[in-house]
Amino acid sequence: MIVLTDLTAVKQALRAQRIETPSWGYANSGTRFKVFPQPGVPRTPEEKIADAATVHRFTGVAPSVALHIPWDRVEDFGALTRYAADLGVRIGAINTNVFQDEDYKLGSVTNPDPGIRRKATDHLLEAVSIMDATGSRDLKLWFADGLNYPGQDDLRDRQDRLAEALRETYGRLGDDQRMLLEYKLFEPAFYATDVPDWGTSYAHCLELGPKATVCIDTGHHAPGTNIEFIVAFLLRAGKLGAFDFNSRFYADDDLMAGAADPFQLFRIMYEIVRGGALDPSYGINFMLDQCHNIETKIPAVIRSVLNVQEATAKALLVDRDALRAAQLSGDVLGANAVLMDAYNTDVRPILAELRTEDGLDPDPVAAYHRSGYQQQIEAERAGGRQAGWGA
Amino acid sequence: MIVLTDLTAVKQALRAQRIETPSWGYANSGTRFKVFPQPGVPRTPEEKIADAATVHRFTGVAPSVALHIPWDRVEDFGALTRYAADLGVRIGAINTNVFQDEDYKLGSVTNPDPGIRRKATDHLLEAVSIMDATGSRDLKLWFADGLNYPGQDDLRDRQDRLAEALRETYGRLGDDQRMLLEYKLFEPAFYATDVPDWGTSYAHCLELGPKATVCIDTGHHAPGTNIEFIVAFLLRAGKLGAFDFNSRFYADDDLMAGAADPFQLFRIMYEIVRGGALDPSYGINFMLDQCHNIETKIPAVIRSVLNVQEATAKALLVDRDALRAAQLSGDVLGANAVLMDAYNTDVRPILAELRTEDGLDPDPVAAYHRSGYQQQIEAERAGGRQAGWGA
Amino acid sequence: MIVLTDLTAVKQALRAQRIETPSWGYANSGTRFKVFPQPGVPRTPEEKIADAATVHRFTGVAPSVALHIPWDRVEDFGALTRYAADLGVRIGAINTNVFQDEDYKLGSVTNPDPGIRRKATDHLLEAVSIMDATGSRDLKLWFADGLNYPGQDDLRDRQDRLAEALRETYGRLGDDQRMLLEYKLFEPAFYATDVPDWGTSYAHCLELGPKATVCIDTGHHAPGTNIEFIVAFLLRAGKLGAFDFNSRFYADDDLMAGAADPFQLFRIMYEIVRGGALDPSYGINFMLDQCHNIETKIPAVIRSVLNVQEATAKALLVDRDALRAAQLSGDVLGANAVLMDAYNTDVRPILAELRTEDGLDPDPVAAYHRSGYQQQIEAERAGGRQAGWGA
Amino acid sequence: MIVLTDLTAVKQALRAQRIETPSWGYANSGTRFKVFPQPGVPRTPEEKIADAATVHRFTGVAPSVALHIPWDRVEDFGALTRYAADLGVRIGAINTNVFQDEDYKLGSVTNPDPGIRRKATDHLLEAVSIMDATGSRDLKLWFADGLNYPGQDDLRDRQDRLAEALRETYGRLGDDQRMLLEYKLFEPAFYATDVPDWGTSYAHCLELGPKATVCIDTGHHAPGTNIEFIVAFLLRAGKLGAFDFNSRFYADDDLMAGAADPFQLFRIMYEIVRGGALDPSYGINFMLDQCHNIETKIPAVIRSVLNVQEATAKALLVDRDALRAAQLSGDVLGANAVLMDAYNTDVRPILAELRTEDGLDPDPVAAYHRSGYQQQIEAERAGGRQAGWGA
């Protein structure tokens, strides 16, 4: 078992860690069968940002919030940025949406209709303008584009169209802006998806240039995929730009990060630590992308942030010298044991101590419940139209 | 290759085949990301039935339509039944819905709250009353009940609650009525589903009695599941009651039957033929359960009916004496070749001939397009609220 | 976080726990690509038993060893039983092998050839005779029977043949003997397996009678299968007889229990605890069934035993009153948190304390390495033919 | 339905098609549970080549045979090449084997031990020398390298080691030689594989240069993977070098090509035709890589060749103008119907006609059975040691 003597370096790394929460995680969400609304859900981008600021207030490691356009479109993004700053957070990645207009039924940037492609690309360009206004560094692109039936469209032509739209958008990026290209195996398209796996995203990013990197959504893989391998591979290639954290038992379940397979999350964070990519200066955007369909949203986001933090703390505890020695000597059980030793350690006391040192409550979930914030929003956000997955 | 000489018996079996279409297949549907409405979509149960009758008019083998309560709830089910009869079809299975009320967020018949369980069971009992009014034989039960997170509820208590609701509902069935218990691996619940697999459904049906049988939805299995094995097993046990046909590449994609893996559909239909279960007198309800999210709905239903018919025709062409001889002699390649010989046969000419003999157009899809029905409904169903997956 | 005050009951339950190790786990194993032999591997059933006794000596909870016939066939099973007793262990389940004779190429008890079926059933009956000699309670049946190609044999006839062989074998069981029927999705058969899932095993066991129960091999499921659901369901039905513990990332990888998904193992053990099925008096045989292809075998078995023990300790720590209260009140996050609180606890100090109290070394793996046993067997077992997956 | 009027172009394309068969497909193979030997199996590389020549004699489209080193190592590869030529076939791809020496237990070119890496790379270089002797164009690399347990070795270091070995081997290639890099999700490694997916292979090939291309083994993917997408993507990128055809229901089952999902094989071949990559001048090596564990080997290889041929014929029948028109107009059902129309056509008469025109028997399987070759080899190859998966 690990002897926890000098935790200075571990705590320093944990203090530097940053996790971005998504505006839409505070809004209503559900499945195709039903969206169950919840009391207190935000009705405006401002209320979503207020919830994100609340998560940051209790966790201390979530100082930015990702926006989704058009769900979070406002007249004055400069004002929204200042509003966020006043609450202690900043605007993070700008997420585009080219899947909810009638026009996009058969695709957006890969649509056979050039007019629809133009419209979709214009939306991507608009998102860069919003980045200019908010000071966001990251443009996150996810395309629902794909096919439901074999033959429905030409797989290869669609790649040409995709490449063209990406190229134009890439060209619009400023010096300090970059593009994150997400991939997803399936849903909403059921036969073929135009960016189905990391390989496709990687190949396009390579062609585009250094400002384009891959975004790994942990729920977007085929069963049996080793995600930490992808993390290690992309770090080696200098092409890992971001995570969309969530967890899944089957498909893109969008459950709380670490809820389905905490050991997997630990292995992912170990590769991040091993690759020297934890510190914000490295440039990876560690985002959550989740749907709290049945559980209360703000404490669920807090819980997810804590899960990522705990997995990171365990990863930082790995005795890397001992691990390397066991690996190089071919000691399979010994090397595995070094890793498991860290995983099996209960890091909650360390994190509680860290929070106390930093003036935070050692138990953010309990503190949130005691704070009265939930009761307040349930009372105050009574009227109006709750935000959800719609413009 | 198969020498198609005397097709009398094959044609007779194909003439007797019956496929039930679902009222909701004619309505709007989609994914959690977006429902794309289509012009001409029905606004009322009557219009859905009219569409089902149209499918029957062109295919000749789809004389019944399944209803979904509450989506198809009307004041006077007797009148609806007569309306259907006037159009040449009858009301088939009654499908219950205990997943779209706010109350059902944490389950229906398995909910920890006894009041909600009562409400859910009452809905099941109401569905039997509707069966009394429509003359329907089949009560189809699908439960979205399940958990998103480990620990959320007690897995075993939920089975007790499920058994209790099923027992009460079973007791309400009339002499000629029966219960079909569907299973589904996941969605909308992401961690555990209360009836996740055929074994669970089978065990409950066995306990309930002879009127309870299993319904196989072809899209509801884990990857790698051999569905025709389940068909053969349940036929042997006398517990296969119905199919929900559709197809899938990944999860419950609800694509057109036979669209994703036509060879699998053929193997399923072969087990049906081999088990003597094709004829309606055997009692299996061969239903479609599909979502035509992006393709025109009525021709998609026609296409699906034809796909099931073609798979059946191929299954009927299998030279079962030759197959048995090869199987018993351990001739692996020979036995497989007998099956593949039937599968590789182009049965479309046989079906075209059959339709012509029966006064139908040999090409139902083309005939539908020529008929003007689509243009008519698009023009006539302009106002009002299109039906979808909602009450 | 859990306050570990009075651990008396937890320790008592852990003291009663029994885990059976498999004789073949000490022998050479591998994949179809290569079996890598290891120094010190047993050459005889006696040497395998000696290794099993060594594992028990260091862990204190593994007092029985499963045999595999014919791999462990000896002239005098009475003598072997006494030999085991002298080493402090007893003979556990008798595992049959009807997959390695040339005759079984197309199946054993389901083979189309009645002569081969007779031979296979005779082997099962012989195994019961061995149980008479060893005093074993459990006959474990796993059938590799299945098909590689559609049409190769008749799926349903094979179920009839299977049922017949099981019936005859069941009839041969003595009053205190019982049958464990294992299932497996695929491998070595690639298209269809005759007992592919728990439902098939359950249906046969139900028909056979109370002495027949299901054996769950944790590696034998389709991707996405919720194993703890099956555990809970079979406990409710009184039909869970045994486990074959191991872990897997993809297929039947046969890795060390708890190595791939320790959270899953914890959830399984929680259902065992919740169902009151942990104590040996309940009758479940908790066996390991693993292949240590590249890691040293004895410490790998010790590691696996410890992993099961740790998962059990965590399951015992679940605050079941708090869990039930949260579940009944519909507190999704609260209920999940109660479960996770136990999972996140580091139970290694508790187990170390328990071992010390019982006169064992607190760290069994380290103690094994210090003991010199490994060096001894590597030196002493130099000549002869190492045992493996062959007669 | 397709009107088969002028088939000149289709037949011309089919005449040009070439399928390479693997020497090891004629040898014994099995699973980790059992290898069932078959009568008449070759004992030498020469006898394997004779079997391959027999397949070519009956099919007319299989004029080359892939070798596997060391399984097919001979003293004089020049003589072996002439022997093949005398039988009417040539030596195709040279397959390397760095997974069956004791040294490779923890990896070959990615092993932590530099001495073992050197040995493995030397084997790759030796294979190029054999290519010099046989005139082979293709060096096929498959690495079993990977990990069974998290932590066992460093994922990223292993990529560095892999890259180094590939670079050295690439540098050794002559002007007309090239490297095919295969990928595989899992087996024999169960936690992580060093080249697990097409993205990994693609990235390495891109770095290496134009002589390095990806080899797609159709059985090496995660469930739900869309293989034809990968085909289309790699063709667009100019990086598809070869196929290892086989089929699977679950994992790497190595069943006959087209046996498990003939529709998938058709979709793959459609992308080949659409990409203009069918003709040998394009440079793709269409190989089989299969294990005929229970079926007679030579007719199984013939069957597989015919299955690829039939899928190709259907792909050639697709009315590409009609398809393109339907795709561009967004006619989902119409576009799918054009594809399905070709798939549903029975192309066996076309192929029979083609063979007759070319002086072959129209039914190669029947002709093989009539030829007496099987009886001859079973009689003549009575003694000696049958070839299998071993040196």
Side-chain angles (χ1 to χ4, degrees):
Chain A
M1 291 180 51
I2 289 171
V3 184
L4 302 172
T5 44
D6 186 4
L7 292 169
T8 313
V10 168
K11 282 183 179 171
Q12 190 175 330
L14 289 168
R15 272 196 183 93
Q17 186 174 28
R18 294 292 171 264
I19 298 163
E20 183 162 311
T21 72
S23 71
W24 56 96
Y26 304 101
N28 284 324
S29 61
T31 68
R32 61 175 169 148
F33 294 100
K34 174 72 177 171
V35 173
F36 293 102
Q38 292 188 15
V41 155
R43 297 154 303 175
T44 62
E46 285 79 6
E47 289 181 352
K48 295 181 201 173
I49 290 172
D51 289 356
T54 302
V55 168
H56 182 48
R57 191 151 44 95
F58 288 101
T59 62
V61 293
S64 64
V65 52
L67 298 189
H68 187 114
I69 308 300
W71 301 343
D72 295 320
R73 187 179 276 135
V74 292
E75 286 292 305
D76 183 346
F77 277 100
L80 192 71
T81 307
R82 288 187 297 275
Y83 175 82
D86 288 347
L87 294 178
V89 292
R90 59 181 176 73
I91 307 296
I94 301 299
N95 289 259
T96 54
N97 176 326
V98 283
F99 54 88
Q100 287 191 319
D101 277 12
E102 301 295 313
D103 278 341
Y104 299 141
K105 188 161 102 167
L106 302 181
S108 64
V109 295
T110 67
N111 199 299
D113 181 332
I116 295 173
R117 296 203 296 272
R118 184 67 258 154
K119 171 180 166 174
T121 307
D122 283 343
H123 175 72
L124 307 187
L125 299 174
E126 180 207 357
V128 184
S129 299
I130 294 173
M131 293 165 69
D132 294 339
T134 58
S136 297
R137 181 190 58 181
D138 295 342
L139 174 70
K140 184 147 75 74
L141 304 180
W142 172 64
F143 297 103
D145 293 54
L147 312 176
N148 273 6
Y149 292 102
Q152 179 187 326
D153 197 5
D154 189 86
L155 291 171
R156 189 161 156 182
D157 286 348
R158 291 174 78 93
Q159 289 299 315
D160 291 336
R161 298 170 195 151
L162 170 65
E164 192 182 334
L166 292 175
R167 210 157 32 226
E168 183 177 347
T169 308
Y170 188 87
R172 168 68 181 81
L173 292 175
D175 286 348
D176 297 330
Q177 293 173 335
R178 49 179 213 166
M179 175 189 286
L180 306 172
L181 183 54
E182 196 171 344
Y183 58 91
K184 185 176 185 185
L185 180 61
F186 88 107
E187 196 213 17
F190 293 130
Y191 158 61
T193 296
D194 292 315
V195 189
D197 53 19
W198 77 264
T200 306
S201 175
Y202 172 78
H204 280 287
C205 287
L206 209 61
E207 212 173 286
L208 288 167
K211 292 182 201 169
T213 52
V214 180
C215 173
I216 299 179
D217 183 305
T218 50
H220 287 190
H221 303 86
T225 303
N226 183 324
I227 299 177
E228 60 267 30
F229 174 87
I230 302 173
V231 173
F233 195 92
L234 289 175
L235 285 177
R236 180 178 178 271
K239 277 293 183 188
L240 178 55
F243 280 94
D244 268 359
F245 282 118
N246 53 58
S247 73
R248 55 78 74 89
F249 287 94
Y250 198 94
D252 184 33
D253 305 344
D254 278 333
L255 301 176
M256 299 187 297
D261 189 347
F263 183 40
Q264 182 189 58
L265 182 57
F266 161 75
R267 299 193 310 262
I268 290 171
M269 293 313 301
Y270 172 71
E271 290 302 326
I272 290 295
V273 168
R274 181 258 179 257
L278 183 63
D279 197 84
S281 65
Y282 187 93
I284 291 181
N285 191 346
F286 296 91
M287 300 178 280
L288 301 179
D289 179 12
Q290 306 183 156
C291 295
H292 307 296
N293 295 348
I294 60 168
E295 68 272 23
T296 317
K297 291 165 199 297
I298 296 172
V301 177
I302 294 176
R303 176 76 272 156
S304 308
V305 168
L306 303 189
N307 285 351
V308 175
Q309 238 186 338
E310 291 172 17
T312 308
K314 292 181 178 197
L316 288 163
L317 287 180
V318 172
D319 182 339
R320 290 180 57 196
D321 290 337
L323 181 62
R324 186 162 185 77
Q327 289 173 342
L328 291 179
S329 69
D331 179 0
V332 176
L333 289 170
N336 177 246
V338 171
L339 200 77
M340 296 312 293
D341 196 6
Y343 178 68
N344 286 323
T345 302
D346 190 344
V347 295
R348 293 174 299 172
I350 301 173
L351 286 162
E353 196 176 288
L354 180 76
R355 288 182 200 113
T356 304
E357 289 170 12
D358 293 355
L360 294 168
D361 192 287
D363 184 341
V365 171
Y368 173 75
H369 285 309
R370 280 195 313 270
S371 73
Y373 186 85
Q374 186 70 33
Q375 293 80 344
Q376 184 191 329
I377 58 175
E378 294 189 11
E380 290 178 3
R381 297 174 182 171
R385 182 152 162 270
Q386 292 190 325
W389 282 22
Chain B
M1 292 181 51
I2 288 172
V3 184
L4 302 172
T5 45
D6 187 4
L7 292 170
T8 313
V10 168
K11 283 184 179 172
Q12 190 175 328
L14 289 169
R15 273 196 182 92
Q17 186 174 27
R18 294 291 171 264
I19 298 162
E20 183 162 310
T21 72
S23 72
W24 58 95
Y26 304 102
N28 284 325
S29 61
T31 68
R32 61 174 169 149
F33 294 99
K34 172 73 176 169
V35 173
F36 293 102
Q38 291 188 15
V41 155
R43 296 153 304 174
T44 63
E46 286 79 6
E47 289 181 352
K48 296 181 199 172
I49 290 173
D51 289 356
T54 301
V55 168
H56 182 48
R57 190 148 47 92
F58 287 101
T59 63
V61 293
S64 64
V65 52
L67 298 189
H68 187 112
I69 309 301
W71 301 342
D72 295 320
R73 186 178 276 135
V74 292
E75 285 293 305
D76 184 346
F77 277 101
L80 192 72
T81 307
R82 288 187 298 275
Y83 175 81
D86 288 348
L87 293 178
V89 292
R90 60 181 177 72
I91 308 296
I94 301 300
N95 289 259
T96 55
N97 176 325
V98 283
F99 54 89
Q100 288 190 318
D101 277 11
E102 303 293 314
D103 279 340
Y104 299 142
K105 187 162 102 169
L106 302 181
S108 65
V109 296
T110 66
N111 199 299
D113 181 332
I116 295 173
R117 296 205 294 273
R118 185 66 260 154
K119 171 179 166 174
T121 308
D122 284 343
H123 174 73
L124 307 186
L125 299 174
E126 180 207 355
V128 184
S129 300
I130 293 172
M131 293 165 68
D132 293 341
T134 56
S136 296
R137 180 189 60 179
D138 295 342
L139 175 69
K140 184 143 76 67
L141 304 180
W142 172 64
F143 298 103
D145 293 54
L147 312 176
N148 273 7
Y149 291 102
Q152 179 188 327
D153 197 4
D154 189 88
L155 291 171
R156 188 161 157 182
D157 286 347
R158 291 175 78 93
Q159 289 298 314
D160 291 337
R161 299 170 196 151
L162 170 65
E164 193 183 333
L166 292 175
R167 210 154 38 226
E168 184 176 346
T169 308
Y170 188 87
R172 169 67 181 80
L173 294 174
D175 286 349
D176 297 330
Q177 293 172 335
R178 50 179 211 165
M179 175 188 285
L180 305 172
L181 183 53
E182 195 170 344
Y183 58 91
K184 185 176 184 183
L185 180 62
F186 89 108
E187 198 216 17
F190 294 128
Y191 159 61
T193 296
D194 293 315
V195 189
D197 54 18
W198 77 265
T200 306
S201 175
Y202 173 78
H204 280 288
C205 288
L206 209 63
E207 213 173 285
L208 288 167
K211 291 181 202 169
T213 52
V214 179
C215 173
I216 298 178
D217 183 304
T218 48
H220 286 190
H221 303 85
T225 302
N226 183 325
I227 299 178
E228 60 267 29
F229 174 88
I230 302 173
V231 173
F233 195 92
L234 288 175
L235 285 176
R236 181 178 177 271
K239 277 292 183 191
L240 178 56
F243 280 95
D244 269 0
F245 282 118
N246 52 59
S247 72
R248 56 77 76 88
F249 287 94
Y250 197 94
D252 184 34
D253 305 342
D254 279 332
L255 301 176
M256 300 187 296
D261 189 348
F263 183 40
Q264 182 189 57
L265 182 57
F266 161 74
R267 299 192 310 262
I268 290 172
M269 293 314 300
Y270 173 72
E271 289 303 324
I272 290 294
V273 168
R274 180 257 178 259
L278 183 63
D279 198 83
S281 65
Y282 185 94
I284 291 180
N285 191 347
F286 297 91
M287 299 178 283
L288 301 179
D289 180 12
Q290 306 183 156
C291 294
H292 307 298
N293 296 349
I294 59 167
E295 67 272 25
T296 318
K297 292 165 197 297
I298 296 174
V301 177
I302 294 175
R303 177 76 271 155
S304 307
V305 168
L306 304 189
N307 284 351
V308 176
Q309 238 185 338
E310 290 172 17
T312 308
K314 292 181 178 196
L316 288 163
L317 287 181
V318 172
D319 182 340
R320 292 180 55 195
D321 290 336
L323 181 62
R324 188 163 183 75
Q327 289 173 341
L328 291 179
S329 68
D331 179 1
V332 176
L333 288 171
N336 177 246
V338 172
L339 200 77
M340 296 313 292
D341 195 7
Y343 178 68
N344 286 324
T345 302
D346 189 343
V347 295
R348 293 174 299 172
I350 301 172
L351 286 162
E353 195 177 288
L354 180 77
R355 288 185 200 112
T356 304
E357 287 170 13
D358 293 354
L360 294 168
D361 191 287
D363 183 342
V365 172
Y368 173 76
H369 284 309
R370 281 196 312 270
S371 73
Y373 187 85
Q374 187 68 34
Q375 293 81 343
Q376 185 191 328
I377 58 175
E378 293 189 11
E380 289 179 4
R381 297 175 183 171
R385 182 154 161 269
Q386 292 190 325
W389 281 22
Chain C
M1 292 180 51
I2 288 172
V3 184
L4 302 172
T5 44
D6 186 4
L7 293 170
T8 313
V10 168
K11 283 184 178 171
Q12 191 174 328
L14 288 169
R15 273 196 181 91
Q17 186 174 26
R18 294 292 171 265
I19 298 163
E20 184 162 311
T21 72
S23 71
W24 58 95
Y26 304 101
N28 285 325
S29 61
T31 68
R32 61 174 169 149
F33 294 99
K34 173 73 176 169
V35 173
F36 293 101
Q38 291 188 14
V41 155
R43 296 152 305 173
T44 63
E46 286 78 6
E47 290 181 351
K48 296 181 200 172
I49 290 172
D51 289 356
T54 301
V55 169
H56 182 48
R57 190 149 46 92
F58 288 100
T59 63
V61 293
S64 65
V65 52
L67 298 190
H68 187 112
I69 309 301
W71 301 343
D72 294 320
R73 187 178 275 134
V74 292
E75 286 292 306
D76 184 345
F77 277 100
L80 192 71
T81 306
R82 288 187 298 276
Y83 174 82
D86 287 348
L87 294 178
V89 292
R90 59 181 177 72
I91 307 296
I94 301 300
N95 289 259
T96 54
N97 176 325
V98 283
F99 54 89
Q100 288 190 319
D101 277 12
E102 302 293 314
D103 279 340
Y104 299 142
K105 187 163 103 168
L106 301 181
S108 65
V109 295
T110 66
N111 198 299
D113 181 332
I116 295 173
R117 295 204 295 273
R118 184 66 259 154
K119 171 179 166 173
T121 308
D122 283 344
H123 175 73
L124 307 187
L125 299 173
E126 180 208 358
V128 184
S129 300
I130 293 173
M131 292 165 68
D132 294 340
T134 57
S136 296
R137 180 190 60 179
D138 295 341
L139 174 69
K140 184 143 77 66
L141 304 180
W142 172 64
F143 298 103
D145 293 54
L147 312 175
N148 272 7
Y149 292 102
Q152 179 188 325
D153 197 3
D154 189 88
L155 291 171
R156 189 161 156 181
D157 286 347
R158 291 174 78 92
Q159 288 299 315
D160 291 336
R161 298 170 196 151
L162 170 65
E164 193 182 334
L166 291 176
R167 211 156 34 228
E168 184 176 347
T169 308
Y170 188 87
R172 169 67 181 81
L173 293 175
D175 286 348
D176 297 330
Q177 292 172 336
R178 51 178 211 166
M179 175 189 286
L180 305 172
L181 183 54
E182 195 170 345
Y183 57 90
K184 186 176 185 184
L185 180 62
F186 89 108
E187 197 214 16
F190 293 130
Y191 159 62
T193 296
D194 292 315
V195 189
D197 54 18
W198 77 265
T200 306
S201 175
Y202 172 78
H204 280 287
C205 287
L206 208 63
E207 213 173 285
L208 288 167
K211 292 182 202 169
T213 52
V214 179
C215 174
I216 298 178
D217 184 304
T218 48
H220 287 190
H221 303 86
T225 302
N226 183 324
I227 300 178
E228 60 267 29
F229 174 88
I230 302 173
V231 172
F233 195 93
L234 288 175
L235 285 177
R236 181 178 176 271
K239 278 292 183 192
L240 178 56
F243 280 95
D244 269 359
F245 282 119
N246 53 59
S247 72
R248 57 78 77 88
F249 287 93
Y250 197 95
D252 185 34
D253 306 342
D254 279 332
L255 301 176
M256 300 187 296
D261 189 348
F263 183 39
Q264 182 189 58
L265 182 57
F266 161 74
R267 299 191 312 260
I268 290 171
M269 292 315 299
Y270 173 71
E271 289 303 323
I272 290 294
V273 168
R274 180 256 177 260
L278 182 63
D279 197 83
S281 65
Y282 186 95
I284 291 180
N285 191 347
F286 296 92
M287 300 178 282
L288 301 179
D289 179 12
Q290 306 182 157
C291 294
H292 308 296
N293 295 349
I294 59 167
E295 67 272 25
T296 318
K297 292 165 198 297
I298 296 173
V301 177
I302 294 175
R303 177 75 270 155
S304 307
V305 168
L306 303 189
N307 285 351
V308 176
Q309 238 186 339
E310 290 172 16
T312 307
K314 292 180 178 198
L316 288 163
L317 286 181
V318 172
D319 182 339
R320 291 181 54 196
D321 290 336
L323 181 62
R324 188 163 183 74
Q327 289 173 340
L328 291 179
S329 68
D331 180 1
V332 176
L333 288 171
N336 176 246
V338 172
L339 200 78
M340 296 313 292
D341 196 7
Y343 177 68
N344 286 324
T345 303
D346 190 344
V347 295
R348 293 174 299 171
I350 301 173
L351 287 161
E353 194 177 289
L354 180 77
R355 289 184 199 111
T356 304
E357 288 170 13
D358 293 354
L360 294 168
D361 191 287
D363 183 343
V365 171
Y368 173 76
H369 285 309
R370 281 196 311 270
S371 73
Y373 187 85
Q374 186 69 34
Q375 293 79 344
Q376 184 191 329
I377 58 176
E378 293 188 12
E380 289 179 4
R381 297 174 183 171
R385 181 154 162 269
Q386 291 190 324
W389 281 22
Chain D
M1 292 180 51
I2 287 172
V3 184
L4 302 172
T5 44
D6 186 5
L7 292 170
T8 314
V10 168
K11 284 184 178 170
Q12 189 175 330
L14 289 168
R15 271 196 183 94
Q17 187 173 27
R18 294 292 171 264
I19 299 163
E20 183 162 310
T21 72
S23 72
W24 57 95
Y26 304 101
N28 285 325
S29 61
T31 68
R32 61 175 168 147
F33 294 100
K34 173 73 177 170
V35 173
F36 293 103
Q38 292 188 15
V41 155
R43 297 154 303 174
T44 62
E46 286 78 6
E47 289 180 351
K48 296 181 201 173
I49 290 173
D51 289 356
T54 302
V55 169
H56 182 48
R57 189 151 45 94
F58 287 101
T59 62
V61 293
S64 65
V65 52
L67 298 190
H68 188 114
I69 309 300
W71 302 344
D72 295 320
R73 186 179 277 135
V74 292
E75 286 292 305
D76 184 345
F77 277 100
L80 192 72
T81 307
R82 288 186 298 275
Y83 175 82
D86 288 347
L87 293 178
V89 292
R90 59 180 176 74
I91 307 296
I94 301 300
N95 289 260
T96 55
N97 176 325
V98 282
F99 54 89
Q100 287 191 319
D101 277 12
E102 301 295 314
D103 279 340
Y104 299 142
K105 187 161 102 167
L106 302 181
S108 64
V109 294
T110 66
N111 199 299
D113 181 333
I116 296 173
R117 295 204 295 273
R118 183 68 259 153
K119 171 179 166 174
T121 307
D122 284 343
H123 174 74
L124 307 186
L125 299 174
E126 180 207 357
V128 183
S129 300
I130 293 172
M131 292 165 69
D132 294 340
T134 57
S136 296
R137 180 191 58 180
D138 295 341
L139 173 69
K140 184 146 76 71
L141 304 181
W142 172 64
F143 297 103
D145 292 55
L147 312 176
N148 273 7
Y149 292 102
Q152 178 187 326
D153 197 4
D154 189 86
L155 290 171
R156 189 161 156 182
D157 286 347
R158 291 173 79 91
Q159 289 299 314
D160 291 336
R161 299 171 195 150
L162 170 65
E164 192 182 334
L166 291 175
R167 212 158 30 228
E168 183 176 347
T169 308
Y170 187 88
R172 168 67 180 82
L173 293 174
D175 286 349
D176 297 329
Q177 293 173 334
R178 50 179 211 165
M179 174 189 287
L180 306 172
L181 182 54
E182 196 171 344
Y183 58 91
K184 185 176 186 185
L185 180 61
F186 88 108
E187 196 213 18
F190 293 130
Y191 159 62
T193 296
D194 292 314
V195 189
D197 52 20
W198 77 264
T200 306
S201 174
Y202 172 78
H204 280 288
C205 287
L206 209 62
E207 212 173 287
L208 288 168
K211 292 182 200 169
T213 52
V214 180
C215 173
I216 298 178
D217 184 304
T218 50
H220 287 190
H221 303 85
T225 303
N226 183 323
I227 300 177
E228 61 267 29
F229 174 88
I230 302 173
V231 173
F233 194 93
L234 289 175
L235 285 177
R236 180 177 176 272
K239 277 292 183 189
L240 179 55
F243 280 95
D244 268 359
F245 281 119
N246 53 58
S247 74
R248 55 78 74 89
F249 287 94
Y250 197 95
D252 185 33
D253 305 344
D254 278 333
L255 300 176
M256 300 186 297
D261 189 348
F263 183 40
Q264 182 188 58
L265 182 56
F266 160 74
R267 299 192 310 262
I268 290 171
M269 293 313 300
Y270 172 72
E271 290 303 324
I272 291 294
V273 168
R274 180 257 178 258
L278 182 62
D279 197 85
S281 66
Y282 186 95
I284 291 180
N285 191 346
F286 297 91
M287 301 178 281
L288 301 180
D289 179 12
Q290 307 182 156
C291 294
H292 307 296
N293 296 348
I294 59 168
E295 68 272 23
T296 317
K297 292 164 198 297
I298 296 171
V301 177
I302 294 175
R303 176 76 271 155
S304 308
V305 168
L306 303 189
N307 285 351
V308 176
Q309 238 186 339
E310 291 173 17
T312 308
K314 292 181 178 197
L316 288 163
L317 287 181
V318 172
D319 183 339
R320 290 180 56 195
D321 290 337
L323 181 62
R324 187 163 183 77
Q327 289 173 343
L328 290 179
S329 68
D331 180 1
V332 176
L333 289 171
N336 177 246
V338 171
L339 200 78
M340 297 312 295
D341 196 7
Y343 177 67
N344 286 324
T345 302
D346 191 344
V347 295
R348 294 174 299 172
I350 301 172
L351 287 162
E353 196 177 288
L354 180 77
R355 288 184 200 111
T356 305
E357 289 170 11
D358 293 354
L360 294 168
D361 191 287
D363 184 342
V365 172
Y368 173 76
H369 285 309
R370 280 196 313 271
S371 73
Y373 186 85
Q374 186 70 33
Q375 292 81 344
Q376 184 191 329
I377 58 175
E378 293 188 12
E380 290 178 3
R381 297 175 182 171
R385 180 151 163 272
Q386 291 189 324
W389 281 22

